[in-house]
Amino acid sequence: MRPKLMALLLIGSVFPAALLAADPPWVARSRIGMVASDSPEASRIGADILAAGGNAFDAAVATSLALAVARPHSTGLGGGGFMLAYLAKEQRVVVLDFRETAPAGATADRFAKLQAQGGDGPSPSIYGGNAIGVPGQLAGLTEILKRFGSLPLKQLAQPALELAQTGFVADEHYLDACTAALADYEKWPQLKQRHARLYETLLGKGTPPKLGDRVKRPDLAEALRLIAKDGPDAFYQGPLGEAVARAAQAAGGTLTRGDLAAYRVREREPIRAVYRDSYEIVSMPPPSSGGVCIAETLNILDAVSLYTKRYFGPEQPHALVEAMKHAFADRARWLGDPDFADVPVKRLTDYNYAVQLARWIEAGKTLASSSYGGVAAPPDDGGTSHFCVADNNGNIVALTETINGPFGSLVVAEPYGIILNNQMDDFAANPGQPNLYGLIQGEANAVAPGKRPLSSMSPTLVFRVRDAKPVLVLGASGGPRIITSVVQVILNIVERRRPLDEAISAARFHHQWLPDEVYFDREPPRELADMLRENGHQISEQRKTSIVQAIQFLEDGTMVGASDPRKGGRPAAPPP
Ligand code: DON
């Protein structure tokens, strides 16, 4: 017998099976509450709030403020987000949209004009003052607290404030984001003058912190102190807002204090789809494309299985790629802010529509890009953070928040260390040109004052149809890959019955209609890649990642929390 095998058998006889099959460190179990975020420090802060008697909404607010400190490249007060939550008492899902809006001065032709004046610098929808949408983050958090919370904002902001003072621990994901940002500062040296604050502080003038170093954020601590004292007024009516408008304008943008004062959170109706008669998927409606694309993709898969009986065969990944292509082609053509464009949500999420599309899907064949979505050629993970919270009363929160690209627009509202988003790039800012995430987008998502840019963020709940009980809450970061990773983790759980850690860590693929390529997050398994090629798909050499956080609800009452190992997060539970 080979020595390794021998050793394993020996260990197996000494240790119980449960110990051998121990959860990886990025998985936690509890029966009383759970926070799964992409930062160990933020998860712990949220779990402490649950332990102190706070509910899931209190914990979500504390976690989000902590993420603003510990994930400066992903989220913060300069961004926005979506919350999809389950109110246990009322057995109802509620959706809040605190996405950024275009400032009043951001007209449809503004980016075309700026491009024309252009020069060789980076795109104005990616870096600088024009990239910044009016932040909705704090308005969203305070709305969550006002309607569903039980503890004062002051108490929930305190742990984040302390973290900002003592410093968060720099991990690999953070250092990767610093390295990527510094590469752009080298590529366009003018950024060092234009966006000096970020360069000189978090980016260490070209020498970022080392792994494990503590990064203090005294300027943000001061912002949190003002928020703890004066609430959202400190931002939307007060000194923080003044600093945001000043920074945006000094960086060439139009954002004013008036834009901030006019900002409103919106409540929305979620998107619903039933998968294989067994699970109801409830997800984010426009201005996210997430819920529509997830529903459309799963409906198509369901219809393929019913009408072609091939679903369980080797063609399944091919059918999934085809379903993704249809959903993303429709995204490009039809989706945008529903307050500004007519978005045919009902038609796109109608099962009969999926049945029509499923008929196009054939083994061994993919179609030309122009055959998807009926649209004629139209005009990476970093800047987002998703977390899930569950409490012992059955409340569940899924919250995805974003500043869009890593470190957003690079513009910092001084002296408060607030990193401002570049969410304007999520509009079809330059018609016909791909955005930061390679997405081509249509007229429904053109820039207009006060409008919200189309998003892919997809906080999602899955209920068992049989007893209407929640079985899974999840969401992701990674631009359009959010949608396809949420779909694949759902399928891994409900279809393939894989444990949550495997469901999340498994290799994922992605197709977004254009570019007409399948992206994997790592070297794909040879057989899978060969099979997709045999079906006519191009496999990209590029690797594109997404990050999923989820909590699974087992029938025995256990909550299993998992933070995607790709980013280094850890879930946390209150002590038993
Ligand atoms: O709302 C959106 O779809 C994008 N702003 C999300 C960007 C993102 O996920 C970046 N990655 N971590």
Side-chain angles (χ1 to χ4, degrees):
M1 188 178 293
R2 280 173 298 166
K4 237 188 199 164
L5 190 57
M6 179 78 167
L8 276 176
L9 286 177
L10 274 176
I11 294 170
S13 62
V14 175
F15 293 100
L19 201 59
L20 277 179
D23 286 329
W26 43 274
V27 167
R29 281 166 204 268
S30 162
R31 299 175 83 89
I32 55 173
M34 182 68 68
V35 182
S37 85
D38 61 26
S39 148
E41 291 144 320
S43 294
R44 177 43 54 204
I45 283 173
D48 287 347
I49 293 295
L50 291 177
N55 65 19
F57 300 94
D58 298 317
V61 170
T63 304
S64 172
L65 291 173
L67 285 167
V69 177
R71 289 291 183 201
H73 55 301
S74 302
T75 179
L77 301 167
F82 298 136
M83 182 197 75
L84 186 133
Y86 181 63
L87 302 173
K89 230 188 197 157
E90 301 169 35
Q91 299 192 354
R92 162 172 95 81
V93 171
V94 61
V95 175
L96 291 182
D97 162 3
F98 43 100
R99 178 88 165 149
E100 296 89 333
T101 53
T107 47
D109 57 354
R110 185 161 175 88
F111 284 108
K113 283 188 185 149
L114 289 165
Q115 290 282 2
Q117 298 159 6
D120 303 332
S123 162
S125 68
I126 294 183
Y127 287 153
N130 287 290
I132 304 168
V134 183
Q137 183 76 2
L138 189 62
L141 296 184
T142 45
E143 182 80 5
I144 292 170
L145 204 55
K146 189 172 90 194
R147 290 181 55 184
F148 312 113
S150 68
L151 298 177
L153 181 60
K154 195 170 170 24
Q155 183 179 344
L156 302 176
Q158 186 59 29
L161 199 161
E162 284 166 18
L163 186 63
Q165 285 165 336
T166 52
F168 70 90
V169 176
D171 66 359
E172 266 176 55
H173 195 274
Y174 177 68
L175 297 182
D176 284 351
C178 290
T179 306
L182 284 170
D184 278 359
Y185 272 93
E186 287 310 316
K187 183 167 167 198
W188 296 294
Q190 64 269 41
L191 294 179
K192 289 184 192 168
Q193 282 83 48
R194 282 193 206 155
H195 307 306
R197 182 75 184 173
L198 186 73
Y199 186 71
E200 286 165 10
T201 55
L202 290 172
L203 299 178
K205 297 186 188 152
T207 313
K210 288 187 284 307
L211 197 66
D213 282 357
R214 280 200 174 271
V215 182
K216 294 185 184 167
R217 302 190 64 193
D219 45 6
L220 190 62
E222 178 56 15
L224 288 164
R225 197 186 61 76
L226 290 175
I227 288 168
K229 183 162 78 67
D230 298 330
D233 282 358
F235 194 95
Y236 291 95
Q237 313 280 348
L240 301 179
E242 215 174 286
V244 167
R246 199 172 48 235
Q249 288 169 27
T254 63
L255 196 153
T256 63
R257 294 191 67 189
D259 288 319
L260 288 162
Y263 186 84
R264 295 290 175 271
V265 175
R266 303 292 309 264
E267 182 164 357
R268 311 259 181 212
E269 276 305 307
I271 301 289
R272 294 171 187 272
V274 173
Y275 181 66
R276 294 171 69 80
D277 293 332
S278 304
Y279 294 96
E280 186 183 30
I281 319 295
V282 184
S283 190
M284 191 66 207
S288 177
S289 57
V292 169
C293 289
I294 290 168
E296 186 174 335
T297 306
L298 290 173
N299 280 346
I300 293 172
L301 275 188
D302 192 312
V304 166
S305 77
L306 273 186
Y307 293 99
T308 68
K309 305 281 180 222
R310 283 197 308 261
Y311 182 82
F312 294 108
E315 292 91 350
Q316 189 208 328
H318 168 58
L320 182 50
V321 170
E322 288 295 299
M324 289 173 182
K325 287 176 78 172
H326 281 295
F328 272 90
D330 281 334
R331 180 193 195 278
R333 177 165 187 186
W334 298 109
L335 296 190
D337 183 345
D339 296 341
F340 285 75
D342 283 333
V343 183
V345 169
K346 229 171 150 346
R347 184 169 75 78
L348 297 176
T349 56
D350 187 311
Y351 190 78
N352 290 323
Y353 177 59
V355 170
Q356 279 173 32
L357 296 179
R359 293 212 176 95
W360 288 82
I361 298 178
E362 277 180 45
K365 190 167 147 200
T366 186
L367 308 173
S369 304
S370 56
S371 307
Y372 298 80
V375 64
D380 240 15
D381 186 74
T384 302
S385 184
H386 173 84
F387 67 92
C388 305
V389 184
D391 67 21
N392 62 357
N393 289 320
N395 297 308
I396 306 167
V397 175
L399 207 157
T400 317
E401 44 195 35
T402 182
I403 51 174
N404 192 30
F407 296 107
S409 62
L410 306 181
V411 180
V412 179
E414 297 179 51
Y416 299 113
I418 298 172
I419 298 167
L420 297 170
N421 70 82
N422 58 353
Q423 222 68 247
M424 295 296 286
D425 190 63
D426 274 352
F427 280 117
N430 308 295
Q433 296 300 314
N435 77 353
L436 194 56
Y437 297 99
L439 290 166
I440 307 271
Q441 322 199 59
E443 201 44 44
N445 190 30
V447 181
K451 188 174 176 183
R452 282 153 153 94
L454 183 61
S455 172
S456 299
M457 294 190 294
S458 311
T460 298
L461 274 157
V462 180
F463 294 87
R464 199 166 34 230
V465 165
R466 167 164 54 83
D467 56 5
K469 289 261 186 316
V471 293
L472 185 68
V473 57
L474 75 168
S477 50
R481 297 176 297 280
I482 292 172
I483 293 170
T484 49
S485 50
V486 166
V487 165
Q488 286 168 88
V489 172
I490 292 176
L491 288 173
N492 285 343
I493 296 281
V494 306
E495 194 74 76
R496 304 187 187 105
R497 309 271 163 193
R498 297 174 83 169
L500 186 62
D501 59 323
E502 280 180 40
I504 287 183
S505 61
R508 290 197 276 267
F509 56 83
H510 170 76
H511 201 302
Q512 59 181 45
W513 176 53
L514 291 175
D516 192 359
E517 289 182 312
V518 182
Y519 296 91
F520 276 86
D521 68 324
R522 66 183 77 146
E523 191 60 27
R526 167 102 62 85
E527 275 178 18
L528 176 56
D530 285 349
M531 190 262 284
L532 288 171
R533 279 195 199 96
E534 277 159 25
N535 282 280
H537 302 289
Q538 298 267 2
I539 311 274
S540 173
E541 290 301 312
Q542 287 178 46
R543 303 287 168 246
K544 304 239 178 195
T545 305
S546 58
I547 308 293
V548 174
Q549 267 69 236
I551 302 174
Q552 186 179 15
F553 303 93
L554 305 183
E555 291 211 51
D556 71 356
T558 305
M559 304 171 192
V560 185
S563 301
D564 201 317
R566 295 167 179 84
K567 190 165 175 177
R570 291 278 184 275

